[in-house]
Amino acid sequence: MTLTTIQWRPSDELTTVARFPTQRLRRLRRSENLRRLVRETTLSVDDFIYPLFVAHGHEVRDEISSMPGNYHWSVDRLAGEGEALSVLGIPAVMLFGLPAHKDEWGSEDYADDGIVQQATRALKQAVPDLIVVTDVCMCEYTSHGHCGIVRDGEVQNDETLAYYQRVAVSHAAAGADIVAPSGMMDGQVAAIRAALDANGFPQTPILAYAAKFASSFYGPFREAADSPPQFGDRQPYQMDPANGREALREVESDIAEGADIVMIKPALAYLDIIRQTRDRYDVPIAAYNVSGEYAMVKAAGRNGWIDEQKVTLELLTSIKRAGADMILSYHAKEVARWLRAA
Ligand code: PBG
């Protein structure tokens, strides 16, 4: 056996800064295991909150046409779904309710036997470990479809806060683990914190929809939740998509009011806001990968225009890379299956 001698050559120049050909970034991309070692961001089932739509009735499991793979569930079928999610390892769900009856004050929203209260009890009984997050808002429950009390054609901020307090306390009393105010009223986090504390729920965290934009990506959700505004739009309370600095002020004020987790919504068109929030604050950040974002991927996938699974994982990875700790996504179930199979 001969030993190969490597011939030593003097280099032409001494450089202190590593650059090509010394620096070759491709060296660490040559095999999957090398890539695994240097991968900066990974998706885990631990990251996901799965939204569920609950409706009155029996034996209901109706697919939502614009959100394939997602359903309207009746309370009697919820336990089975909760168990399936728990077996997949998904840590939490977010509940949205379709009431039997709508009125100006959204009264089913804070009724003891309201749809979300019933659903919460059913899930907590069947799968006690599954975290139940409830959306605290009024648009699904009000006849006018706005997120608060309307007077003279305008959503009344302070009057609405008292309703959010009732809703949040009734959700906590039904067993909700986390309440998530999404109505974008000023002071909603402080109001809900005070109400929870005064009613024996000092340990119930608030996941605040802190920077929620007046986005057209909510289209499929509003159809699924039957919650479009019957006049006007939500621009007087949700944020202008053009405003990044203002989003940080929203985040800052929600933290000051006592938010335990802050949410940026939607996610994909707002990755810059997620990143700036991550750089500036040390609170847990949630990002809502909303219905329109989901529907676009599904539609393109069904048309064979994209590789749906790869595109989904790439998009969700981008949300984590931007700085989100947790992601609300209609993809959560399928992603949990893919990650398990991988
Ligand atoms: C309720 C609410 C909305 C969404 C979550 N909570 C709709 C809206 O603000 O009109 C949208 C979620 C989605 O599009 O997936 N206020």
Side-chain angles (χ1 to χ4, degrees):
M1 208 168 94
T2 53
L3 285 174
T4 331
T5 359
I6 294 167
Q7 210 196 326
W8 182 83
R9 295 168 198 273
S11 61
D12 296 326
E13 57 180 305
L14 282 172
T15 54
T16 48
V17 181
R19 59 166 192 250
F20 181 79
T22 312
Q23 174 171 282
R24 290 178 182 271
L25 293 171
R26 287 183 55 185
R27 284 187 198 116
L28 296 175
R29 296 179 195 151
R30 292 185 67 221
S31 72
E32 176 56 14
N33 277 342
L34 276 173
R35 292 189 292 271
R36 283 175 65 210
L37 285 172
V38 297
R39 188 157 291 146
E40 300 174 24
T41 312
T42 47
L43 283 178
S44 150
V45 68
D46 300 348
D47 305 329
F48 289 96
I49 300 177
Y50 184 57
L52 286 175
F53 296 90
V54 199
H56 287 278
H58 295 286
E59 295 293 320
V60 179
R61 179 186 180 266
D62 293 339
E63 190 164 34
I64 299 164
S65 59
S66 54
M67 292 196 273
N70 288 268
Y71 301 83
H72 285 125
W73 299 93
S74 52
V75 173
D76 55 355
R77 298 204 55 174
L78 217 46
E81 177 65 358
E83 276 152 19
L85 294 169
S86 157
V87 166
L88 281 167
I90 292 173
V93 294
M94 166 81 97
L95 294 184
F96 296 101
L98 287 94
H101 155 86
K102 296 176 193 262
D103 58 35
E104 270 181 74
W105 308 276
S107 38
E108 193 180 320
D109 206 358
Y110 41 87
D112 274 347
D113 59 350
I115 187 70
V116 163
Q117 289 80 356
Q118 288 185 38
T120 301
R121 281 189 215 103
L123 276 172
K124 289 310 293 180
Q125 195 184 350
V127 240
D129 290 343
L130 184 70
I131 298 294
V132 172
V133 190
T134 56
D135 183 80
V136 175
C137 194
M138 299 185 77
C139 57
E140 294 109 286
Y141 301 86
T142 51
S143 44
H144 45 67
H146 277 288
C147 303
I149 301 301
V150 173
R151 236 172 257 291
D152 305 324
E154 218 180 305
V155 177
Q156 303 296 308
N157 193 87
D158 298 11
E159 198 175 340
T160 298
L161 296 181
Y163 286 81
Y164 287 179
Q165 291 180 315
R166 281 180 80 171
V167 175
V169 169
S170 84
H171 288 178
D177 298 287
I178 300 179
V179 295
S182 70
M184 290 300 282
M185 296 300 121
D186 289 327
Q188 63 185 14
V189 174
I192 289 172
R193 183 72 272 153
L196 290 172
D197 292 354
N199 287 276
F201 302 105
Q203 299 288 2
T204 304
I206 297 175
L207 190 174
Y209 287 67
K212 177 175 180 181
F213 290 88
S215 169
S216 299
F217 285 98
Y218 306 152
F221 173 96
R222 289 186 189 169
E223 200 192 312
D226 186 29
S227 65
Q230 299 302 305
F231 68 88
D233 56 37
R234 303 211 205 289
Q235 290 183 86
Y237 41 105
Q238 298 181 347
M239 279 197 57
D240 183 340
N243 291 0
R245 292 189 300 266
E246 187 187 345
L248 296 173
R249 293 184 68 198
E250 282 284 2
V251 168
E252 181 176 285
S253 71
D254 279 8
I255 295 170
E257 287 178 34
D260 298 279
I261 304 169
V262 293
M263 190 202 288
I264 311 299
K265 175 182 174 190
L268 292 171
Y270 301 88
L271 295 178
D272 56 326
I273 312 295
I274 298 173
R275 167 47 54 194
Q276 290 175 65
T277 302
R278 173 76 299 147
D279 288 344
R280 212 181 278 201
Y281 302 105
D282 290 327
V283 288
I285 300 171
Y288 201 141
N289 175 220
V290 300
S291 58
E293 298 174 332
Y294 177 84
M296 290 195 303
V297 172
K298 287 288 159 194
R302 283 177 182 214
N303 275 298
W305 294 337
I306 55 168
D307 180 327
E308 190 182 312
Q309 178 173 344
K310 286 188 173 150
V311 165
T312 301
L313 293 172
E314 184 175 334
L315 289 172
L316 293 168
T317 300
S318 79
I319 297 172
K320 267 200 94 179
R321 193 193 61 236
D325 298 292
M326 63 197 93
I327 306 174
L328 286 99
S329 180
Y330 304 99
H331 292 291
K333 247 180 118 171
E334 58 191 5
V335 169
R337 286 198 205 97
W338 298 337
L339 292 176
R340 171 169 291 204

